[in-house]
Structures are given as structure tokens and as C-alpha cells.
Amino acid sequence: MPATATPIRTARRVDRFTYAIRNIVIEAQKVERAGTKVRYLNIGDPIQFGFATPPHLIEAVARAMRDGHNNYTASTGILEAREAVAADFTGRGVPVPPDRVLITSGTSEGLELALTAIVNEGESVLVPSPTYPLYTAVLAKIGAEPLYYRTDPSNHWLPDLDHMRSLITHSTRALVVIDPNNPTGAVYPESVRRALIALGEEHGLMILADEVYGDLAYSGSMPPLATLDLDAAIISYSSLSKAYLAPGWRAGWMAVGATPRLDGALAAIKKLADGRLCSPGPMQYGVVAALTGDRSHQATFRQELRLRAELTTTRLNGIDGISCVAPHGAFYAMPRVALPAGRTDDDYVLALLRKTGILCVYGSGFGTEPAGGFFRVVFLASLSELDGIYDDIAAFTREYLDISSG
Ligand SMILES: Cc1ncc(COP(=O)(O)O)c(C=O)c1O
């Protein structure tokens, strides 16, 4: 066969890489082509459900473009944005200088930079189960292992510290803490947060504090994890995506804790950041506007989310065969359906999609056992739309469980 007829082969690392939240859309498109309207409850994007980016952020980005800020920026980000992030953290109780801040293409890029900078192939990272799948995707790419620590639905989805301890080996390098949590909606109390820091510190781990929902706890903004121990090896992350309603801008930031133990990691992260030039320049002016301007939209958004969380918990717990732990932050719930023996979470989710057009993501896409029957609901749709969706989930589940067991 001539070389031109040979398919280009793909790298082995791609075989290890999965991203259920987006992969499942292929199934949804098939359902759509067959004529069923799909209700997409798979992706946490408030804009797709009618929430609007605050106008002063849009104006700041548009003005930046008009004013000619269309150049490459410093790889760590423009000084004004790093100063705004540093001032924001300092105001929240974590003094950090602008030279320990990086502006990134969303938290996603910052997390990938840090993991790539400090974790070698074959080493491991503690990741919650269930987890936001970015972590397992990045670890697959760099040839490292996720160590899934249990978070317990019978205990408000809080981390099981004994289980975490039992997983740590000499090659464990980092601990991922997602609080408020996607996919469970859990918000960790201070005692748990302190215990997580103590565990990380005891084992010399770098702690990645994913606080992308930090301003979306229903009781109000959470203090960053780093406030509890300013000397701990914590990198704090957030972005414009959720609490500032601009996910498509891909604008986020990371603040590297002041401890000199993180100096090497910071230098390595900056070195890697040089290789991708910079995050989008005009959006960095949006970061400045977000962190120095009016944030009143957040109180309204939190209230909207609280109402949806209450409806979701009440309605799902009212369905025979489904139980749901109440979320306390963000816009996700992780209900569980009591599956008949032999069935898996993706059987249920795909059957729900094909029958009703409702698209959720199966729990095993976030690392739970397939037989566990967990699935994730994004509850950003309007209350009336959600009510209709839960009616349909109830009717479908009644039928699914009867048919399966009968
Ligand atoms: C827990 C968590 N971390 C990180 C991200 C990625 O956020 P960003 O848009 O800032 O990259 C998400 C997005 O859904 C998330 O849920």
C-alpha cells in the first residue's frame, strides 16, 4: 500500500482519554436526527439557559479590542488583571502578590499547567470520586494515575479522609479539592477543609483548590481554602466561567500560595505558560472589570440557583427508586436510581435520552461505579421547564424500573 493510502495513526494516550460530558452529545445528536427534541442537561453553561454576562464585562472586553489591545500579552497575563486577582485574594484573606498569579484560558488551562508542571509519568494524584472529568482527562494525557477518593452520598457527599489516607503512596504528588463541588453540589464545612489541608501537608502534596464555584454557594461566597492555612502548598483557582457568566471567554486565574515550597512549581508553571504564549488578551480586561466592578449579579444568580436546587431535590426525592442529596452550591445534583441487577448507569441515562430526549451524564463518566446508578443533572433551566423535565423523568423511571424488574 502506498504511504498516502495508510491512515494516520493516533497516539496511545488518546485511548486513555474520555470526556463523558461531551462524548454523550454524539448519542444526543442521533436522537435529534431521529426527530426527538433533546433537552441538554449535560453541560454547566448558564448562558445556554438564558443567564446573561454582566454588561460591564462585555464593555470592558469590547473596549479593549477597540483600544487596540489585540496583541500577545505577557504569558502570565496583563499586569492589571494579575493585580486585580491579587487584590481580590488579599481582600478575601489570602495575601498574594501579582507575580504569583497567572491569567489562564479558564481554570482548565491553569489546572493542566500545574499538573503538567509537577506530576511525572507514573505518579499519582488524589482526585475526588465522583470528579469533574477534566482531572482524569489531563492525568490520562500526561500518563499519571488518578487515585479516586470516596466522597460519601450518605454523608452529604463529604470526602472520606480514611479512604484518602489509604490511597496515598510515595509517588502521590497532589490533592485535588473541588469545593463547592461539581458534580455533587456539596459544600465542605470548615472542619473538613482543615482536615484536607492537614492531610495534604502531612504527605507533602500540592493542593489544587478548584474554587470555580466559590461565589456560588447558596449561603454566600466561600472563603478560599487557602485562608485556613496561608503557609500550606495550595494553588487556588477560579474563572469568569461560572460566577461571572462568561464561560465562552475562556478566562481564568490561579494564585500560587506564598510558601517558598511552591517556588519551584511556580517557576515550572511559568516556563510551561511561556510555551503557549498567553491566554486571550481582550478577555483579560474582562477579568479586571469582573474583580474590580459591580458583582451584584451574583446574589441574584445564587438565589435563582437555590430555588432550582430546592425544586430538584424535592422532585427527584419524590420519584420512587430515586434519591438525591441536596446540593448547597453550584448548579448540579447527583441523584441515584436504584438499578435492577445487571443494569448500569449508562443503560439508564441512554434509555432516558432515547425515550424522553432528556440528556444527563451517567455517574461513571465522573468516576462512580457503573452499577451505582448515579447520574448528574444540570439544573440551570427555568423552574417551569425543570418541573416538566422531572415529570418526564418520573414517568420514564417508573416504566424503566417496572420493565427491568418485571
Ligand atoms: C469543577 C470545575 N472545575 C473546572 C471547570 C472548568 O472551568 P473553566 O471554564 O474555568 O475552565 C469546571 C467547568 O465546568 C468545573 O465544573
Side-chain angles (χ1 to χ4, degrees):
M1 199 192 298
T4 48
T6 314
I8 301 295
R9 74 162 171 72
T10 58
R12 277 187 297 279
R13 71 176 66 86
V14 182
D15 302 335
R16 302 189 296 250
F17 190 99
T18 57
Y19 209 85
I21 296 174
R22 290 199 175 233
N23 293 353
I24 197 169
V25 171
I26 296 167
E27 289 305 316
Q29 285 163 347
K30 284 187 203 156
V31 168
E32 242 163 14
R33 278 197 295 275
T36 303
K37 174 176 164 12
V38 172
R39 285 168 286 176
Y40 287 90
L41 304 190
N42 64 314
I43 199 151
D45 181 349
I47 304 300
Q48 294 186 28
F49 294 90
F51 292 95
T53 312
H56 64 288
L57 271 63
I58 296 177
E59 181 47 35
V61 172
R63 195 182 327 114
M65 288 185 188
R66 280 196 304 268
D67 289 351
H69 296 299
N70 299 306
N71 49 296
Y72 290 130
T73 72
S75 57
T76 50
I78 59 171
L79 181 61
E80 297 94 306
R82 288 185 291 114
E83 281 175 345
V85 172
D88 185 68
F89 271 103
T90 304
R92 291 172 193 252
V94 189
V96 62
D99 65 357
R100 293 183 88 82
V101 170
L102 279 90
I103 308 298
T104 53
S105 296
T107 27
S108 303
E109 189 195 35
L111 290 159
E112 179 158 2
L113 284 171
L115 289 168
T116 309
I118 73 133
V119 185
N120 282 315
E121 221 168 299
E123 293 182 332
S124 60
V125 173
L126 282 163
V127 171
S129 169
T131 185
Y132 176 62
L134 167 74
Y135 296 99
T136 20
V138 170
L139 293 174
K141 213 151 77 170
I142 64 177
E145 290 294 318
L147 300 175
Y148 284 120
Y149 61 87
R150 251 191 320 263
T151 63
D152 182 0
S154 66
N155 185 27
H156 313 284
W157 284 116
L158 297 182
D160 177 341
L161 282 133
D162 290 334
H163 186 234
M164 293 174 85
R165 237 173 249 115
S166 74
L167 296 171
I168 297 174
T169 71
H170 65 279
S171 58
T172 307
R173 303 297 315 286
L175 160 61
V176 173
V177 176
I178 309 174
D179 178 23
N181 190 272
N182 174 12
T184 64
V187 172
Y188 301 163
E190 188 179 315
S191 56
V192 169
R193 303 169 114 220
R194 285 194 186 279
L196 289 168
I197 296 176
L199 184 79
E201 289 288 280
E202 186 188 331
H203 294 276
L205 307 179
M206 178 171 79
I207 301 176
L208 301 177
D210 181 336
E211 295 172 342
V212 76
Y213 301 102
D215 287 324
L216 298 182
Y218 310 145
S219 57
S221 292
M222 301 281 298
L225 184 68
T227 53
L228 299 177
D229 184 347
L230 297 177
D231 295 322
I234 298 177
I235 306 187
S236 310
Y237 289 88
S238 194
S239 73
L240 294 187
S241 298
K242 313 292 180 175
Y244 297 91
L245 298 161
W249 289 3
R250 314 306 304 123
W253 53 88
M254 60 199 278
V256 177
T259 172
R261 287 179 296 140
L262 282 173
D263 288 354
L266 175 62
I269 289 166
K270 286 185 176 175
K271 190 169 169 185
L272 291 177
D274 281 345
R276 71 21 157 167
L277 302 185
C278 63
S279 72
M283 283 39 178
Q284 298 184 34
Y285 292 84
V287 172
V288 179
L291 297 183
T292 58
D294 177 38
R295 302 184 200 192
S296 55
H297 71 278
Q298 286 183 347
T300 318
F301 191 30
R302 278 195 292 268
Q303 177 58 12
E304 293 283 341
L305 294 178
R306 182 202 284 274
L307 294 173
R308 285 163 175 75
E310 282 166 5
L311 176 76
T312 299
T313 312
T314 309
R315 289 297 318 269
L316 290 175
N317 280 319
I319 300 172
D320 275 348
I322 292 188
S323 56
C324 180
V325 177
H328 294 281
F331 29 76
Y332 310 99
M334 191 74 163
R336 174 179 217 166
V337 57
L339 292 175
R343 291 295 172 107
T344 55
D345 53 8
D346 61 332
D347 286 339
Y348 172 82
V349 162
L350 288 173
L352 175 69
L353 168 67
R354 289 173 188 143
K355 186 74 197 250
T356 65
I358 297 169
L359 179 65
C360 298
V361 183
Y362 39 88
S364 48
F366 303 94
T368 57
E369 286 300 319
F374 290 101
F375 60 104
R376 188 189 74 168
V377 174
V378 173
F379 52 76
L380 284 164
S382 68
L383 290 169
S384 61
E385 200 178 334
L386 285 173
D387 230 6
I389 284 169
Y390 299 139
D391 286 343
D392 290 352
I393 291 181
F396 166 80
T397 304
R398 211 173 302 122
E399 202 178 298
Y400 181 88
L401 295 180
D402 278 343
I403 289 169
S404 311
S405 56

